[in-house]
RNA sequence: GCUUCCUUAGCUCAGCCGGUUAGAGCAUCUGACUGUUAAUCAGAGGGUCCCUGGUUCGAGCCCAGGAGGGAGCGCCA
């Protein structure tokens, strides 16, 4: 019977020594002398590596020639207690097979430090680094934790469309989806492009948000969430924006603003706790390597209630702050990054939820407050990354919603399907959007959002 | 889109006031070393100084334009 492959993770945590094992993975390093060689292997199951020892009596120089940095190998041998310091167990190799060679002269990944900017240019190989291995494992854990959180609380996962016929969602610039020939599209009599001849018989785009469709589902299933790709064709060049990113959008019937805040806070604390529990080694590595405050900051999020205050209260605090701001604070204008950072990092020193923004600076679907000046919006602000969640209680009143759409020049006829929820059995409801990569950014302590997604898309870049 | 900084060996970076044959560490290759931990030690090979044009006796260095990248800002998640 053939020996089953063990992962590095299984071998390192095994109490069962002096048995034959088989490991397969990629060589991180080989060193030694003419009597003994040490082969360091990682297989992605953990950030840690396992050491295989090859004695010269069994392995000629020639047989290990191709066992170099980056090569893929299968190693069979005895799992034994290590004679050396630095690891508890190691494999005394009896058979080393090279599954895939890696030319040492050409292999782009070095054993020593390589900049994150350079790794971005070789994004097809960067998962083999410690850093990206850790980031991708944490990313997975967070994705899994999101589904678990909602499933455990009776939410249904709803798949909203990626191609949308609506261009009025108001969340940002959209990417057009078309099969018309770009050099010579069919035209109508007045010279405009004739989209009636396009694939869908109309103009279509990639979604900027699943929220409107999510609201439809919540008006039937009660509690739902979406988790899917989202696209923004904005020329945003920052460490916090991507043209293609993943968004989580829960929507809950009968929830009002207060319950929406409770959900957002529980959700974020749960996810940070989930990552701490399931990825301790990866987070420890990221803490040691990139951000010595990371674990402290994560614990701070799980251990402290978020500070809740209204936009109006925040403006008062900022106006009386001793700190000089580049942009003046005035009621009615949106807060700048510097203002949000002051509130979170200097004034409260904890995550902040800002609510009840002026209606002029928020979306048409947010519920109007009694005073007629503000809406039941909420933004969750995190240290370092700013807005991680944006949400609101939705306007459930048909007439008021129509009025808001008219004020903000949102075409009601294109959104008749959305308005139908208010015409037939409307109900109070609330939800929010969480940018998945911003969460991964916060939890990993990475500083650029392009380093927390395998293949980032941003202006002038769609490689791989 | 705006502001600002950067681009020199495979990688990370020095390079003085514009001066003759452009450097270091790591990586690679060769050799040494009986258990290494980013092994160590010795030696060798390795360059379109981002591109185009200009100034100058002479440009990696100064000037103009272009390309690419970082940071900050705006838009937002």
């Amino acid at each position: 019977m053939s020996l089953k492959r063990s992962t590095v993770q299984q071998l390192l945590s095994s109490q069962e020594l002096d048995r034959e094992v088989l490991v397969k993975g990629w060589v991180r390093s080989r060193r030694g002398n003419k009597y003994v060689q040490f082969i360091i292997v990682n297989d992605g199951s953990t950030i840690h590596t396992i050491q295989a020892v090859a004695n010269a009596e069994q392995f000629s120089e020639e047989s290990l020639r191709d066992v170099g940095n980056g090569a893929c190998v299968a190693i069979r041998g005895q799992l034994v207690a290590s004679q050396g310091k630095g690891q508890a167990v190691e494999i005394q190799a009896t058979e080393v097979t090279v599954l895939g060679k890696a030319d040492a002269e050409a292999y782009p990944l070095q054993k020593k430090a390589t900049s994150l900017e350079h790794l971005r240019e070789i994004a097809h190989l960067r998962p083999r680094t410690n850093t990206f291995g850790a980031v991708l494992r944490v990313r997975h854990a967070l994705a899994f934790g999101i589904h678990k959180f909602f499933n455990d609380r009776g939410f249904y996962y709803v798949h909203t469309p990626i191609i949308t016929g609506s261009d009025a969602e108001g969340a940002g610039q959209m990417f057009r989806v078309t099969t018309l020939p770009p050099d010579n599209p069919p035209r109508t009599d007045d010279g405009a492009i004739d989209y009636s001849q396009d694939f869908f018989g109309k103009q279509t785009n990639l979604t900027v948000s699943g929220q409107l469709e999510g609201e439809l589902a919540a008006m039937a299933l009660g509690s739902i969430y979406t988790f899917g790709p989202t696209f923004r064709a904005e020329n945003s060049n920052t460490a916090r924006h991507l043209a293609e990113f993943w968004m989580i959008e829960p929507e809950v019937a009968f929830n009002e603003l207060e319950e929406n805040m409770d959900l957002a806070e529980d959700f974020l604390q749960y996810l940070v706790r989930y990552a701490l529990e399931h990825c301790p080694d990866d987070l420890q590595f990221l803490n040691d390597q990139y951000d010595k405050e990371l674990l402290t900051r994560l614990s701070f999020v799980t251990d402290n209630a978020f500070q809740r205050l209204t936009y109006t209260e925040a403006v008062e605090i900022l106006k009386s702050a001793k700190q000089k701001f580049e942009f003046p604070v005035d009621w009615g204008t949106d807060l700048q990054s510097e203002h949000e950072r002051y509130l979170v990092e200097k004034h409260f020193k904890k995550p902040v939820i800002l609510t009840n923004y002026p209606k002029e600076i928020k979306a048409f679907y947010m519920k109007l407050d009694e005073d007629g000046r503000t809406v039941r919006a909420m933004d969750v602000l995190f240290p370092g990354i700013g807005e991680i969640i944006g949400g609101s209680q939705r306007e459930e009143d048909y007439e008021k919603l129509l009025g808001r759409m008219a004020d903000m020049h949102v075409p009601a006829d294109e959104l008749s399907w959305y308005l139908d929820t208010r015409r037939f059995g409307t109900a109070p409801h609330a939800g929010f959007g969480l940018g998945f990569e911003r969460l991964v950014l916060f939890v990993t302590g990475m500083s650029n959002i392009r380093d927390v997604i395998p293949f980032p898309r941003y202006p002038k870049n769609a490689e791989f």
Side-chain angles (χ1 to χ4, degrees), chain A residues 3-57:
Chain A
L3 188 59
K4 196 162 179 261
R5 174 174 84 95
S6 300
T7 64
V8 172
Q9 162 85 327
Q10 289 165 341
L11 296 179
L12 291 181
S13 57
S14 175
Q15 305 296 319
E16 205 186 328
L17 298 185
D18 303 315
R19 61 188 170 103
E20 190 179 30
V21 297
L22 172 64
V23 70
K24 297 180 182 181
W26 292 269
V27 176
R28 285 292 176 79
S29 169
R30 177 164 69 92
R31 54 181 173 252
N33 51 50
K34 65 180 150 185
Y35 302 96
V36 61
Q37 291 280 320
F38 303 96
I39 305 163
I40 311 301
V41 176
N42 178 272
D43 67 356
S45 61
T46 164
I47 192 153
H48 300 298
T49 52
I50 194 157
Q51 170 167 288
V53 184
N55 290 322
E57 307 97 72

Side-chain angles (χ1 to χ4, degrees), chain A residues 362-382:
Chain A
K362 287 292 178 184
F364 73 90
Y365 47 72
M366 297 188 179
K367 184 177 174 66
L368 209 54
D369 281 312
E370 280 81 21
D371 64 6
R373 299 176 71 206
T374 57
V375 290
R376 293 197 188 162
M378 59 164 219
D379 284 359
V380 181
L381 310 179
F382 261 32

Side-chain angles (χ1 to χ4, degrees), chain A residues 271-291:
Chain A
L271 292 172
V272 172
R273 217 175 284 130
Y274 191 90
L276 285 167
E277 190 181 326
H278 290 84
C279 306
D281 295 352
D282 291 318
L283 292 175
Q284 187 67 54
F285 170 82
L286 293 166
N287 182 84
D288 296 344
Q289 207 68 28
Y290 290 98
D291 182 354

Side-chain angles (χ1 to χ4, degrees), chain A residues 180-191:
Chain A
L180 293 178
D183 43 348
N184 185 28
R187 299 202 181 260
T188 57
D189 293 343
D190 59 2

